[in-house]
Amino acid sequence: MPEIPLIKVDRVSKRYGPVEAVQGVSLDVERGAFVSLLGPSGCGKSTILRMIAGFERPDGGRIYIDGSDVVDVPAHRRPVNMVFQSYALFPHLTVFDNVAFGLRRKRLAREVVKEQSRHFLGLVGLEGMEARYPSQLSGGQQQRVALARALANRPKVLLLDEPLGALDLKLRKRMQVELKQLQREVGITFIYVTHDQDEALALSDQIAVMNRGELLQYGPGRELYDSPASEFVANFLGEANLLPCRILQQNPSPAVDIGGTAIAVASLGDGAREVGAAALLVLRPEDLAISREPPLGPCRLPAQIEDKVFLGASFLIYLRLDGDIPLTARGSDRAFFDSVDAGGKVWVGWQAERARLVAP
């Protein structure tokens, strides 16, 4: 028999007055996984986290932790801990006492509390800071204290609600690396809420993309990036070019029509798509090649350069296709970047297997 998921969210719904914050979401989280709930503000991701934690009760559906239905189990009796963006540290307690707080409430022996508190402070790199108060720490150090306090209780699941959102960009990037390393070391399942697509891709084993209370797609970040199931997922997870097209033929070689030009595609994607049906061709900027001469192959279109932006290690070139269709290409060939200017005529080409079709 397959192992049951550690967390099972089964057709869960939640309504606040006229607003349906979560609409029949189902989600399985395996043991030891790092899962991110990704989406814009108000999409329902934090509501799902709070329902798993026990701070909110679902209006419909069930939530299981390690096979047990926990909908009627109060928050303090669930084997989960939560880390908030605001850190929620006790300002009048030292770093050590903040971490030890939950252990003392369990009435553990003094030496056990001391050993476990110091162990988790060591894991987050705060040795020697036990006597400091939260006000004496940087934002990153306060976040580490919050993590150590949550992990010290050895929960089955750690829930993190945008915990790095209050940090500056450079510190947030460093904390992402440390957080992933910490999760691997302790082996605890993490469920992480974020609206930052780069953060979700950097941290997660699995990503659940949400919008307007619905779960749109769930899977490994690479899979969602390379094969988005919808226009929203393609747009929200990374940069995407969306080219309006129509299905030109299904067999023997599928193809679409873009502005009167036949373009080969590797697949018409999931679901039946009739000849003549409207669709969107999804192309990532890094998959586009720009050249002055028509490239070989069946996937190419003429374009005009509108602007270019130097980004250091890479650059962006903004183009426009016939039919007033915008397109963005990313590259790293500085010699080519320096040789082209706005208004120049070029060709854009790509590999057929790098394009995906989604419904408009």
Side-chain angles (χ1 to χ4, degrees), residues 9 22 27 35-37 44-56 63 78 80-84 157-163 190-194 210:
V9 177
V22 178
L27 187 71
V35 171
S36 286
L37 306 181
K45 55 189 186 296
S46 291
T47 302
I48 289 178
L49 206 70
R50 293 177 64 82
M51 287 191 287
I52 294 172
F55 300 147
E56 301 279 358
I63 296 173
R78 298 189 187 191
V80 304
N81 263 14
M82 195 159 178
V83 177
F84 301 91
V157 184
L158 187 63
L159 308 173
L160 303 104
D161 194 358
E162 304 210 46
F190 279 23
I191 303 180
Y192 190 96
V193 161
T194 182
M210 295 188 62

Side-chain angles (χ1 to χ4, degrees), residues 7 9 22 24-30 33-41 43-49 52 160 190-197 199-225 228-230 232-234 236-237:
I7 300 287
V9 177
V22 178
V25 168
S26 294
L27 187 71
D28 287 354
V29 178
E30 304 303 325
F34 197 126
V35 171
S36 286
L37 306 181
L38 175 68
S41 298
C43 72
K45 55 189 186 296
S46 291
T47 302
I48 289 178
L49 206 70
I52 294 172
L160 303 104
F190 279 23
I191 303 180
Y192 190 96
V193 161
T194 182
H195 63 271
D196 186 321
Q197 53 185 284
E199 190 166 84
L201 286 168
L203 291 171
S204 314
D205 301 313
Q206 305 273 327
I207 298 175
V209 180
M210 295 188 62
N211 190 38
R212 297 181 179 179
E214 294 185 85
L215 176 60
L216 301 184
Q217 194 171 356
Y218 181 47
R222 180 68 178 270
E223 177 183 304
L224 270 60
Y225 185 83
S230 67
F232 181 87
V233 175
F236 198 82
L237 197 66

Side-chain angles (χ1 to χ4, degrees), residues 278-292:
L280 291 170
L281 190 72
V282 181
L283 289 166
R284 298 297 184 182
E286 64 272 17
D287 291 329
L288 298 178
I290 309 174
S291 59
R292 287 192 176 83

Side-chain angles (χ1 to χ4, degrees), residues 267-339:
S267 168
L268 295 180
D270 296 331
R273 288 196 167 96
E274 300 295 329
V275 171
L280 291 170
L281 190 72
V282 181
L283 289 166
R284 298 297 184 182
E286 64 272 17
D287 291 329
L288 298 178
I290 309 174
S291 59
R292 287 192 176 83
E293 300 299 326
L296 299 175
C299 302
R300 59 184 187 179
L301 289 168
Q304 179 173 307
I305 296 175
E306 290 206 318
D307 202 356
K308 61 179 186 176
V309 178
F310 180 68
L311 300 174
S314 64
F315 59 78
L316 294 177
I317 295 183
Y318 298 100
L319 308 119
R320 195 159 293 274
L321 305 176
D322 290 341
D324 205 32
I325 301 171
L327 201 65
T328 302
R330 184 186 297 273
S332 58
D333 184 346
R334 292 194 182 191
F336 181 82
F337 178 83
D338 293 336
S339 71

